[in-house]
């Protein structure tokens, strides 16, 4: 048993504060009562000397375990019991109330009773002053308006309508609503639905940060890290990020994870990175449905500008309309494809469960097993449009599985594994998962890995679990990456590897809901709003997205930005460096170019050679090989060597067909230079003086030479004459026919 010792004091605002400590009697003391006689017993907890060894602080033979939280008890204001503390619960009209209530009053003011039974004693008082009541009503009104605005924002995709709703949200923010202020500040920061204004956003974030808002603290950390509206300070950024993470902000945790992983502003620490990334990955994985999560579009602006549409994976509007036309005409494959696009979202198509259901339903009615299985998935998971229904899901899964569809087989396996509409049967679940996995279906592979990992229905086998998780990860399933990360982090079934675990957790974290910002930033770029795109990509680059880092560098490299002109290249160099550290080949070549030309740094040919060599050896880049050939040819930052230059040129031509033409021209130039150098080294005068033409060609060599020259001259003359004869002359113009005399009037025309 343990006892609770309590006491009360008066707070400054007139309310009562109850405080206390919990004590456990030592093994030598059976039970005791505190000085005030307040004692509480909890049954079923064995406490004695073992507990006291863990909590060595003792008071009067009791071990102090913890201090209770302070509880503020309101004091009645006015009414019939002014100055007396409220009693909870209290009885009013046959109902108990455990807090102040507005029931029974028309003015909406909170009140309480000071005795248990108000009905008989009529002892009561207000819990707040009139000013406090008015303030509370304003807060409630602001909250109601905020919830209405957010609901409407989430229910529309029209930009004009969202602009109007954010104007309403701005008015709610002016009423002091914290969440509305956060939304408005971020909208101003990114230029989303409100005019971009970094100074105004900063001002709001500073107010919210003082009130302890983790989102605002994270945003201020970002402003100081990027130097937006403030002087850049990595130390201040780290402080704000840390406070944001302590407040539970997942973006702050992700940023800190990347910083510790890459050693950005902090000492590099894999274990610290693992702690932050794992926490974020746990939240991301818990939100993932069985479909594997929504698709993340990673569009590189550099590739998009050089060859539009080739790397983005986005579907053109015309192509989508063509597929819709085919679907309307009854093309089953088009219906299934469009259904999957709308189910998951991505590739320029927004997630829309209603459209997905309609397309799958059409295809299922035509007998398509994939459509049946996906309808089963939609009913199994449920959504705003399709209500969750295990029986309907089971019906579609069975129809698809009986026809050999792996998606249906996997769905049946899930039903038997978790008892959805059928009794739990691990043997049948294993059987269906194996059938689906044999056909290469990712869900079957993932669930088989889970069963082997946890020993569900089979003997626990980490090697088999690792095998199936690896297979599922090749298809990009986020939960497969998550499970592999957990195995590498704990050394379960594999040798523990912090580095591998961090990379896998990082992959999971980058599939979180904040990844939608990638498409928003790309949309701003396509609309020509470079400042908005830049700020959005900057935040994503802080979170560790390599594609965002390269896109920031590209925007800074290509156009004027919100930064000063003398800051542009150094900032671009910084982000190319971060992208290169994550293995992006083009970024590594860009680093070589920046050091070669002195962009954002001093001209340093030796460092340029190092970057080109890394890109050449690690990523087999043809561009890097060509650049190394040129630097060997010129002797820039490296010893001049024409033979090594030719070798690198040849390697570049082998590495990429696109390099063959520039390599050919470079080799021609190299050959000419080599010939000139050879002739310079050769003394022609001495060579000619040593040659005796009479002895070499005979005494009449001059006659032979004149004959050859005459023959060549005659050949040229004959060729030119034949060309003149072959040119056709224009035919003479035909003679014009004589004009016909006009027929005299009155004579009959010939019939």
């Amino acid at each position: 048993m343990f006892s609770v010792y309590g006491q009360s004091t008066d707070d400054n605002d007139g309310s009562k504060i109850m405080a206390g400590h919990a004590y456990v009697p030592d093994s030598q003391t059976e039970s005791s009562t505190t000085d005030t006689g307040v004692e509480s017993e909890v049954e079923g907890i064995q406490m004695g000397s073992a507990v006291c060894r863990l909590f060595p602080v003792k008071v009067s033979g009791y071990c102090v375990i913890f201090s209770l939280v302070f509880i503020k008890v309101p004091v009645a204001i006015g009414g019939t019991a002014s100055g007396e503390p409220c009693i909870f619960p209290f009885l009013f009209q046959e109902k108990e109330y455990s807090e102040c209530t507005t029931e029974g009053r028309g003015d909406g003011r909170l009140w309480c009773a000071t005795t248990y039974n108000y009905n008989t004693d009529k002892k009561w008082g207000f819990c707040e002053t009139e000013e406090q009541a008015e303030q509370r009503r304003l807060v409630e009104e602001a909250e109601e308006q905020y919830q209405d605005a957010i609901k409407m924002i989430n229910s529309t995709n029209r930009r004009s309508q969202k602009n109007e709703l954010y104007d309403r949200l701005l008015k709610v923010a002016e009423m002091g609503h914290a969440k509305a202020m956060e939304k408005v500040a971020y909208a101003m920061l990114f230029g989303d639905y409100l005019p971009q204004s970094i100074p105004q956003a900063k001002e709001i974030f500073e107010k919210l940060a003082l009130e302890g808002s983790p989102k605002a603290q994270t945003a201020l950390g970002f402003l100081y890290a990027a130097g937006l509206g403030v002087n850049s300070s990595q130390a201040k950024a780290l402080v704000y990020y840390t406070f944001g993470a302590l407040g539970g902000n997942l973006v702050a945790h992700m940023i800190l994870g990347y910083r510790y992983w890459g050693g950005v502003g902090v000492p590099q620490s894999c274990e610290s990175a693992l702690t932050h990334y794992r926490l974020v990955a746990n939240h991301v994985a818990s939100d993932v449905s069985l479909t594997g999560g929504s698709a993340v579009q990673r569009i590189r602006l550099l590739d998009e500008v050089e060859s539009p549409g080739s790397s983005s994976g986005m579907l053109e509007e015309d192509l989508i309309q063509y597929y819709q036309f085919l679907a309307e005409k009854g093309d089953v494959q088009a219906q299934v494809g469009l259904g999957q696009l709308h189910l998951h979202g991505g590739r320029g198509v927004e997630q829309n469960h209603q459209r997905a259901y309609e397309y799958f339903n059409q295809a299922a009615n035509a007998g398509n097993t994939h459509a049946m299985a996906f309808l089963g998935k939609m009913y199994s998971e449920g959504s705003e449009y399709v209500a969750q229904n295990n029986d309907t899901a089971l019906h579609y899964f069975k129809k698809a599985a009986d026809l050999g569809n792996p998606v249906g087989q996997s769905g049946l396996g899930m039903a038997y594994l978790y008892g959805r509409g059928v009794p739990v049967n691990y043997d049948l679940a294993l059987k269906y998962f194996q059938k689906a996995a044999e056909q290469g279906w990712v869900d079957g592979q993932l669930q088989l890995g889970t069963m082997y990992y946890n020993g569900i229905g089979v003997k626990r086998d980490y090697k088999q679990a690792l095998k199936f998780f690896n297979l599922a990860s090749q298809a990009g399933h986020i939960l497969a990456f998550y499970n592999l990360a957990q195995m590498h982090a704990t050394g379960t079934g594999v040798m523990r590897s912090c580095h591998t675990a961090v990379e896998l957790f990082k992959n999971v974290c980058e599939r979180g809901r904040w990844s939608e910002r990638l498409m928003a930033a790309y949309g701003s770029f396509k609309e020509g709003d470079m400042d908005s795109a830049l700020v959005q990509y900057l935040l994503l680059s802080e979170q560790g997205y390599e594609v965002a880092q390269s896109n920031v560098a590209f925007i800074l490299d290509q156009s004027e930005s919100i930064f000063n002109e003398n800051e542009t290249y150094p900032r671009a160099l910084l982000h190319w460096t971060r992208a290169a550290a994550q293995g992006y080949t083009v970024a590594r070549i860009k680093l070589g170019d920046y050091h070669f030309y002195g962009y954002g740094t001093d001209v340093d040919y030796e460092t340029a050679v190092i970057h080109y060599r890394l890109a050449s050896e690690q990523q087999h880049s043809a561009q890097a090989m060509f650049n190394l050939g040129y630097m060997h040819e010129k002797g820039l930052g490296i010893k001049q060597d024409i033979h090594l230059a030719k070798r690198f040129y040849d390697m570049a031509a082998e590495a990429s067909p696109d390099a063959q033409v520039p390599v050919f021209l470079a080799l021609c130039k190299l050959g000419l230079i080599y010939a000139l150098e050879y002739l310079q080294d050769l003394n022609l005068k001495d060579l000619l003086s040593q040659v005796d033409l009479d002895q070499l060609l005979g005494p009449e060599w001059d006659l032979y030479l004149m004959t050859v020259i005459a023959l060549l001259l005659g050949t040229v003359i004959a060729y030119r004459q034949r060309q003149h004869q072959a040119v056709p002359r224009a035919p003479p113009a035909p003679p014009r026919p004589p004009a016909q005399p006009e027929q005299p009037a009155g004579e009959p025309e010939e019939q």
Side-chain angles (χ1 to χ4, degrees):
M1 68 184 69
F2 70 84
S3 300
V4 178
Y5 172 75
Q7 62 183 16
S8 67
T9 59
D10 290 330
D11 197 10
N12 293 332
D13 62 359
S15 59
K16 298 286 186 182
I17 297 179
M18 302 300 296
H21 302 283
Y23 298 93
V24 177
D26 202 347
S27 57
Q28 300 172 356
T29 308
E30 284 298 320
S31 178
S32 180
T33 305
T34 59
D35 296 338
T36 58
V38 180
E39 182 175 21
S40 172
E41 296 185 359
V42 178
E43 298 177 358
I45 301 177
Q46 300 298 323
M47 295 184 178
S49 59
V51 177
C52 287
R53 283 198 295 272
L54 295 176
F55 303 96
V57 180
K58 298 182 181 180
V59 178
S60 302
Y62 285 80
C63 301
V64 181
I65 296 181
F66 59 87
S67 294
L68 296 179
V69 178
F70 288 113
I71 304 170
K72 297 184 72 173
V73 179
V75 173
I77 302 170
T80 61
S82 181
E84 295 183 20
C86 296
I87 296 296
F88 299 111
F90 65 87
L91 185 66
F92 172 64
Q93 292 181 352
E94 300 181 358
K95 181 180 177 182
E96 283 190 344
Y97 293 87
S98 57
E99 58 184 3
C100 297
T101 181
T102 59
E103 292 295 325
R105 294 198 61 83
D107 57 3
R109 287 186 68 179
L110 290 169
W111 67 278
C112 69
T114 57
T115 60
Y116 171 72
N117 195 331
Y118 169 83
N119 300 321
T120 58
D121 301 335
K122 305 296 181 181
K123 294 284 188 178
W124 69 278
F126 294 111
C127 297
E128 57 189 358
T129 63
E130 291 186 10
E131 292 79 6
Q132 290 171 335
E134 181 62 26
Q135 183 64 31
R136 179 177 54 80
R137 279 193 290 270
L138 290 174
V139 169
E140 290 174 353
E141 182 184 347
E143 176 65 21
E144 185 179 351
Q145 292 182 18
Y146 170 77
Q147 293 297 340
D148 289 343
I150 291 298
K151 186 177 179 180
M152 294 175 71
I153 287 171
N154 293 334
S155 64
T156 183
N157 292 320
R158 292 175 56 189
R159 187 171 184 85
S160 59
Q161 196 169 358
K162 283 193 174 184
N163 290 341
E164 294 175 3
L165 291 169
Y166 265 87
D167 287 335
R168 286 176 56 182
L169 209 58
L170 182 59
K171 294 176 181 177
V172 179
E174 290 170 355
M175 297 169 68
H177 192 280
K179 289 184 178 179
M181 291 171 71
E182 288 175 354
K183 281 273 187 185
V184 165
Y186 272 102
M188 289 178 173
L189 177 63
F190 297 133
D192 276 348
Y193 313 114
L194 288 174
Q196 190 174 27
S197 175
I198 294 174
Q200 280 185 274
K202 172 180 168 286
E203 185 180 344
I204 297 173
F205 285 137
E206 286 175 337
K207 288 180 182 177
L208 290 169
L210 290 174
E211 296 172 7
S213 166
K215 281 188 176 181
Q217 290 163 344
T218 303
L220 281 177
F222 165 62
L223 293 179
Y224 277 105
L228 291 169
V230 294
N231 293 326
S232 180
S233 171
Q234 297 304 318
K236 288 184 178 180
L238 183 61
V239 170
Y240 280 115
Y241 284 147
T242 304
F243 277 118
L246 290 172
N249 187 268
L250 296 180
V251 172
H253 276 292
M254 193 171 170
I255 291 171
L256 287 175
Y258 171 70
R259 287 188 161 234
Y260 280 109
W261 182 61
V264 180
V266 292
Q268 195 167 14
S269 171
C270 183
E271 294 298 333
S272 296
L274 180 61
T275 301
H276 289 288
Y277 272 130
R278 177 188 269 168
L279 189 147
V280 180
N282 290 341
H283 285 271
V284 174
S286 66
D287 292 338
V288 174
S289 65
L290 299 176
T291 56
S294 58
V296 178
Q297 297 293 329
R298 302 171 188 261
I299 303 173
R300 295 189 189 280
L301 299 183
L302 178 63
D303 297 341
E304 183 71 8
V305 169
E306 291 181 353
S307 50
S310 63
S311 64
S312 65
M314 303 287 287
L315 293 175
E316 296 291 338
E317 184 64 29
D318 292 344
L319 189 58
I320 295 173
Q321 289 179 359
Y322 174 67
Y323 285 138
Q324 289 173 342
F325 172 76
L326 291 177
E328 289 171 3
K329 292 294 182 182
D331 189 305
V332 175
Q333 294 301 323
Q335 291 167 349
V336 174
L338 285 172
Q340 288 179 293
L341 276 175
H342 284 96
L343 177 63
H344 302 295
R347 303 193 70 183
V349 178
E350 290 189 359
Q351 196 173 39
N352 188 324
H353 283 184
Q354 180 179 351
R355 299 289 298 276
Y357 177 83
E358 291 170 355
Y359 284 123
F360 284 141
N361 200 37
Q362 292 173 17
N365 291 336
N368 185 274
T369 57
H370 255 73
M372 296 175 191
F374 276 106
L375 279 175
K377 274 189 142 187
M378 294 188 74
Y379 276 108
S380 177
E381 295 176 7
S383 65
E384 291 182 4
Y385 181 75
V386 180
Q388 202 278 338
N389 189 313
N390 286 330
D391 293 335
T392 308
L394 200 64
H395 165 72
Y396 281 114
F397 283 145
K398 279 183 177 178
K399 284 183 69 175
D402 290 343
L403 295 171
N405 184 273
V407 186
Q409 292 166 345
S410 178
L412 269 185
M414 293 295 293
Y416 283 112
L417 180 63
Y418 295 107
R420 296 174 180 170
V422 291
V424 172
N425 189 323
Y426 294 139
D427 292 335
L428 281 176
L430 184 68
K431 170 188 169 184
Y432 282 115
F433 286 143
Q434 285 173 335
K435 285 184 176 182
E438 286 169 3
Q439 297 188 61
W441 182 241
V442 61
D443 283 349
Q445 296 164 344
L446 176 71
Q447 297 305 327
L448 272 180
T450 303
M451 293 186 77
Y452 278 111
Y453 182 85
N454 295 310
I456 300 174
V458 292
K459 185 179 178 181
R460 182 170 290 178
D461 189 335
Y462 292 129
K463 288 186 178 179
Q464 285 293 319
L466 186 68
K467 168 190 168 185
F468 286 112
F469 286 149
N470 275 321
L471 287 171
S473 70
Q474 291 172 13
H477 201 297
I478 186 172
L479 292 180
F481 288 118
Y482 176 76
N483 292 333
L484 284 173
Q486 292 284 25
M487 294 182 76
H488 282 283
T490 57
T492 305
V494 292
M495 185 73 72
R496 186 180 187 276
S497 172
C498 177
H499 183 79
T500 304
V502 167
E503 288 190 335
L504 289 166
F505 275 134
K506 182 175 182 290
N507 192 319
V508 174
C509 294
E510 290 181 357
R511 300 277 290 275
R513 59 183 180 274
W514 38 79
S515 63
E516 296 172 3
R517 178 66 58 189
L518 283 168
M519 284 308 300
Y522 176 69
S524 298
F525 175 80
K526 292 291 283 185
E527 293 171 3
D529 191 350
M530 295 300 173
D531 289 347
S532 175
L534 179 60
V535 174
Q536 293 179 80
Y537 278 131
L538 275 168
L539 178 58
L540 291 164
S541 71
E542 280 287 297
Q543 292 176 248
Y545 286 89
E546 177 271 308
V547 68
Q549 292 166 350
S550 60
N551 286 350
V552 167
F554 173 79
I555 292 174
L556 292 172
D557 202 12
Q558 296 294 315
S559 61
E560 295 181 0
S561 67
I562 52 181
F563 298 112
N564 295 330
E565 187 176 348
N566 58 348
E567 295 181 16
T568 302
Y569 281 127
R571 289 176 180 273
L573 179 64
L574 171 67
H575 285 87
W576 284 130
T577 303
R578 291 181 181 179
Q582 298 199 58
Y584 184 37
T585 308
V586 174
R588 182 66 65 187
I589 296 170
K590 283 286 187 180
L591 286 178
D593 293 345
Y594 271 52
H595 285 93
F596 184 90
Y597 294 108
Y599 293 155
T601 184
D602 296 330
V603 173
D604 189 343
Y605 294 133
E606 293 180 0
T607 305
V609 167
I610 291 171
H611 288 298
Y612 290 143
R613 184 161 284 150
L614 283 171
S616 170
E617 293 173 356
Q618 295 177 0
Q619 286 103 13
H620 305 288
S621 166
Q623 180 67 59
M625 295 172 186
F626 186 91
N627 293 352
L628 282 173
Y630 178 80
M631 296 187 81
H632 272 293
E633 177 188 331
K634 297 294 184 180
L636 300 172
I638 202 168
K639 184 181 178 182
Q640 188 173 20
D641 190 328
I642 291 178
H643 300 288
L644 275 176
K646 182 179 184 304
R647 179 185 171 192
F648 278 108
Y649 284 142
D650 290 338
M651 288 169 61
E654 291 174 5
S656 172
D658 295 337
Q660 290 180 355
V661 173
V663 164
F664 172 75
L665 296 175
L667 288 175
C668 290
K669 176 189 171 187
L670 199 63
L672 180 61
I673 292 172
Y674 180 78
L676 290 173
E677 287 183 356
Y678 177 78
L679 292 174
Q680 284 177 353
D681 295 339
L682 194 65
N683 195 333
L684 289 177
K685 191 173 183 181
D686 292 342
L687 181 65
L688 291 174
S689 64
Q690 293 175 6
V691 175
D692 187 355
L693 294 177
D694 289 339
Q695 185 178 0
L696 186 64
L697 300 175
E700 298 178 350
W701 62 270
D702 51 345
L703 293 177
Y704 299 148
L705 182 59
M706 291 175 64
T707 304
V708 170
I709 292 172
L711 287 172
L712 288 173
L713 186 61
T715 303
V716 171
I717 293 171
Y719 176 74
R720 294 296 299 275
Q721 285 180 345
R722 185 171 296 177
Q723 268 193 326
H724 283 297
Q725 290 175 359
V727 174
R729 294 183 180 179
R736 296 178 64 184
Q740 293 292 332
E742 293 184 4
Q743 188 171 350
E747 290 187 9
E749 296 181 359
E750 292 183 3
Q751 301 295 326

